[in-house]
């Protein structure tokens, strides 16, 4: 059964795709012949002509100029002129470099230069002058186009304000209804003529030559509407349950899939109907434009209903993203459908009015009705939402039992309430244009907010799933990059926050589009603002900053991968000791970091002149506050290169004694015997006396002092002690252990017993075992001690009494 459903869905999608492709092929214009590349002079002439055309249309008094199109043309001219300046600047630099090689002309009285050099300098000067003129002309064109675009923006804002502030008669007056009544006959006649044209188009589409494609498209559209969405959602559900991990990502992914499946199936069905009707270009230009507008409206309505269905999720409450109770979701389930249907109906009326030229009173009346319907639906939805909220709080034990709403939801509700009041008051007082605009904007803002909420949830859940330290992908990233779990969590929070800010900014820019400040306008304004910002001689450009940030991130990533490969794969297979391997990896890390910094500065277009002030500031800082830091940094480099101490060495520095665990750029980490870590500045390891116990494979020495009574048999003691020292598996036979009679006093003799071990780290264990065995053997041989023995653990010293190791 599941296989049959899959094949049916694929057949429907393939049919729709084939129809789209066939229609696209029938409408594709003939490919224009390839034109030769234009010269900079030709490009400047073309841009100047386009700008003159914009000015002529703006000054035309015969009709209302299309300000939005003219402004976009001016912005395109400005962008192309800026690109031309950027492309010609390297050529100017190359010409100047060639002139610098030739040098200035010889002074009067100086020996004449070769004629070839003079001719070449003259040619270069001529080319430079022509190129400089083109650059200046392009800069003037760019500035002129930018000023013209700003003028058009002002005109558009003025027109928008005039349209919003226009007032008609109120619906409570007889004049308001008298004007539509007088123009009703003419409007009805125009509408009948449009109906006749539509009937003729249907008759043409039903002809034998067009009947088969029409029936095929209608059948495919019906199949998509009846079965397509259900099959697509079923397929997406099974894909999500099998391939998307269980959790928040599956929930947000399914909500997105529900919204997109509604748009795909319903919108594609409308597109198929349009293709069937216009299979062989049956529709005239007016009907074709009207049909295309109808398809776009169906897409928008399908998106509104699909988005509402995805967020409310009445049938599957566990997939619901907003904090809504089940009764609230059930009470709101019909409003997305009603809003989508209203948008289609009133949108079609607007398109039909423009097509047939409906009278102004009829248009005003219909816009007032649309404002009342849309704002009324939004008001009813808010009323039901408040009623459901009140019922939930009344049945709950405490207010905390119900879902709490964030601040932005309260602000949105307040804004909707104010918008609804403005819309109804605008219709009542005759400001129908204002009421219509506010009602449409409430619908538009609602769609944008819902879309942004869904995208924020989806991207946040996706980032959380991919970078979760305990997830499969998170573990892979930790293994590849060597990142700690807390670093992964911080990266998750940071990336999710940045993504949320970007989506919110895009949503705000989209909301401001009807006010003349859409995403393209805001981007152009930001580009213009940043293009004039400088830091010293360094120009601050958003594109350059993004490029430098990418270079920095990619460089750090590659550097970490290289260091990890050196530490874990290449260097361990060499004959170098661990300390040398760590020093090489650290040095290469410093060199790689310096290279990444240089590449980042190059991506920012920073030259020596631009960083002169940085070097000066650093010089002053080094002279005062950074001297110790620089000294420690240089000392760290000396430690890594000369390696008087290395990672793993046992050193003594003053009263400190322990193992070196890490040599950083500023300080060295020394681990003491109690497992605590001491951070020592690198300069101390260079300027102070350091005792390296384990350098040059030093041997460890256990020295035991035995005070014996004066009447003790010294030879017997010597033989017994040597037997114990030589018989222990941890002592070395070369150098051999020895026993010296160190001192004689009034009542005792002192034996100095020394044994060597393979490493100073083994002295403590070997010494303890020797003491236990010596005490046992001396007690068995009835050889008493005068007082407690003294034990010292020292590295081998080059003295005459004990020898060196």
């Amino acid at each position: 059964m599941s296989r049959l459903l899959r094949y049916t869905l694929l057949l429907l999608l393939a049919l729709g795709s084939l129809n789209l492709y066939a229609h696209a092929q029938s409408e594709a214009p003939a490919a224009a012949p390839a034109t030769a590349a234009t010269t900079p002079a030709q490009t400047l002439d073309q841009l100047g002509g386009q700008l003159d055309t914009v000015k002529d249309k703006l000054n035309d008094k015969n009709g209302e100029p299309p300000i939005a199109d003219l402004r976009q043309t001016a912005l395109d001219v400005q962008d192309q002129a800026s690109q031309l300046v950027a492309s010609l600047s390297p050529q100017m630099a190359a010409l100047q470099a060639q002139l610098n090689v030739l040098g200035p002309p010889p002074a009067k009285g100086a020996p004449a230069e070769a004629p070839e050099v003079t001719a070449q300098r003259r040619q270069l000067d001529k080319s430079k002058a022509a190129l400089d003129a083109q650059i200046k002309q392009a800069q003037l064109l760019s500035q002129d186009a930018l000023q013209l675009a700003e003028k058009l923006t002002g005109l558009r804002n003025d027109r928008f304000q005039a349209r919003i502030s226009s007032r008609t008669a109120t619906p409570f007056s007889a004049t308001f209804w008298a004007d539509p009544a007088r123009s009703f006959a003419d409007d009805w006649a125009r509408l009948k003529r449009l109906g006749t044209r539509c009937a003729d188009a249907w008759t043409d589409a039903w002809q034998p030559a067009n009947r088969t494609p029409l029936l095929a498209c209608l059948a495919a559209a019906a199949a998509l509407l009846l079965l397509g969405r259900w099959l697509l959602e079923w397929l997406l559900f099974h894909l999500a349950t099998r391939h998307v991990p269980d959790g928040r990502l599956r929930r947000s992914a399914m909500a997105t899939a529900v919204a997109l499946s509604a748009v795909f199936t319903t919108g594609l069905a409308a597109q198929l109907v349009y293709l069937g009707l216009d299979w062989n270009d049956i529709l005239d230009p007016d009907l074709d434009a009207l049909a295309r507008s109808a398809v776009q409206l169906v897409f928008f309505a399908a998106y509104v209903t699909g988005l509402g269905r995805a967020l409310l999720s009445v049938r599957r409450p566990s997939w619901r993203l907003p904090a809504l109770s089940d009764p609230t979701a059930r009470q709101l389930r019909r409003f997305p459908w009603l809003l989508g249907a209203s948008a289609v109906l009133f949108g079609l009326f607007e398109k039909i009015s423009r097509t047939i030229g409906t009278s102004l009173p009829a248009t005003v009346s219909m816009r007032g009705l649309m404002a009342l319907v849309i704002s009324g639906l939004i008001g009813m939805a808010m009323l039901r939402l408040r009623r459901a909220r009140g019922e939930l709080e009344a049945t709950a034990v405490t207010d905390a039992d119900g879902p709490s709403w964030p601040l932005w939801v309260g602000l949105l509700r307040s804004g909707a309430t104010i918008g609804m009041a403005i819309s109804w008051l605008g219709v009542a007082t005759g400001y129908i244009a204002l009421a219509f605009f506010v009602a449409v904007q409430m619908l538009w803002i609602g769609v944008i907010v819902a879309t942004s909420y869904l995208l924020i949830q989806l991207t946040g859940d996706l980032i959380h799933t991919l970078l979760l330290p305990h997830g499969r992908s998170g573990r892979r990233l930790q293994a590849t990059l060597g990142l700690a779990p807390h670093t992964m969590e911080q990266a998750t929070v940071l990336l999710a926050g940045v993504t949320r800010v970007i989506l919110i900014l895009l949503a705000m820019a989209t909301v401001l589009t009807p006010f003349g400040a859409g995403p393209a306008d805001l981007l152009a304004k930001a580009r213009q603002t940043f293009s004039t910002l400088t830091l010293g001689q360094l120009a601050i450009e958003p594109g350059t900053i993004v490029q430098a940030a990418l270079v920095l991130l990619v460089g750090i990533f590659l550097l970490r991968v290289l260091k990890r490969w050196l530490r874990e794969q290449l260097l361990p297979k060499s004959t170098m000791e661990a300390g040398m391997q760590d020093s090489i990896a650290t040095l290469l890390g410093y060199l790689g970091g310096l290279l990444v910094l240089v590449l980042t500065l190059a991506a920012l277009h920073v030259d020596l002149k631009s960083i002169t002030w940085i070097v000066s500031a650093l010089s002053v800082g080094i002279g005062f506050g950074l001297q110790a830091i620089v000294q420690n940094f240089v000392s760290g480099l000396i430690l890594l290169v000369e390696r008087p101490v290395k990672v793993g060495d046992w050193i003594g520095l003053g009263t400190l004694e322990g193992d070196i665990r890490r040599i950083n750029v500023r300080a060295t980490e020394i681990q003491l015997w109690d497992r605590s870590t001491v951070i020592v500045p690198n300069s101390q390891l260079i300027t102070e006396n350091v005792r390296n116990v384990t350098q040059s494979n030093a041997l460890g020495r256990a020295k035991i002092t035995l005070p014996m009574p004066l009447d003790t048999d010294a030879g017997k003691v010597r033989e017994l002690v040597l037997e114990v020292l030589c018989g222990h598996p941890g002592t070395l036979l070369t150098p051999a252990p020895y026993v010296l009679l160190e001192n004689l006093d009034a009542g005792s003799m002192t034996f100095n017993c020394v044994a060597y071990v393979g490493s100073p780290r083994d002295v403590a264990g070997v010494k303890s075992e020797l003491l236990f065995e010596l005490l046992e053997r001396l007690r068995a041989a009835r050889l008493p001690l005068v007082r407690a023995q003294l034990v010292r653990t020292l590295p081998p010293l080059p003295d005459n009494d004990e020898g060196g190791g």
Side-chain angles (χ1 to χ4, degrees), residues 83-140:
Q83 293 179 2
L84 184 60
V85 171
S87 64
L88 293 180
S89 296
Q91 301 179 23
M92 176 65 74
L95 290 175
Q96 185 61 44
Q98 294 179 13
L99 287 173
N100 293 338
V101 171
L102 295 179
K108 293 182 178 181
E113 60 185 0
E116 293 81 2
V117 176
T118 304
Q120 187 176 6
R121 182 185 293 105
R122 187 182 301 110
Q123 181 63 32
L124 290 176
D125 288 335
K126 182 178 179 181
S127 301
K128 180 182 176 182
L131 191 60
D132 183 66
Q134 292 177 352
I135 292 177
K136 291 180 178 179
Q137 185 180 359
Q139 291 174 345
L140 289 175

Side-chain angles (χ1 to χ4, degrees), residues 343-398:
V344 170
L345 292 178
F346 290 112
L348 280 177
F349 176 81
E350 285 285 325
K351 301 300 181 182
I352 292 174
S353 298
R354 294 181 182 180
T355 302
I356 65 177
T358 307
S359 62
L360 181 60
T363 303
V364 171
S365 302
M366 186 57 65
R367 287 188 174 182
L369 179 61
M370 181 178 180
L372 293 177
V373 170
I374 293 180
S375 58
L377 288 175
I378 295 176
M380 291 176 60
M382 292 179 56
L383 183 61
R384 290 197 178 184
L385 186 63
R386 176 179 294 182
R387 185 182 303 169
R389 179 75 174 181
E391 294 175 357
L392 184 62
E393 292 179 353
T395 56
V397 178
T398 61

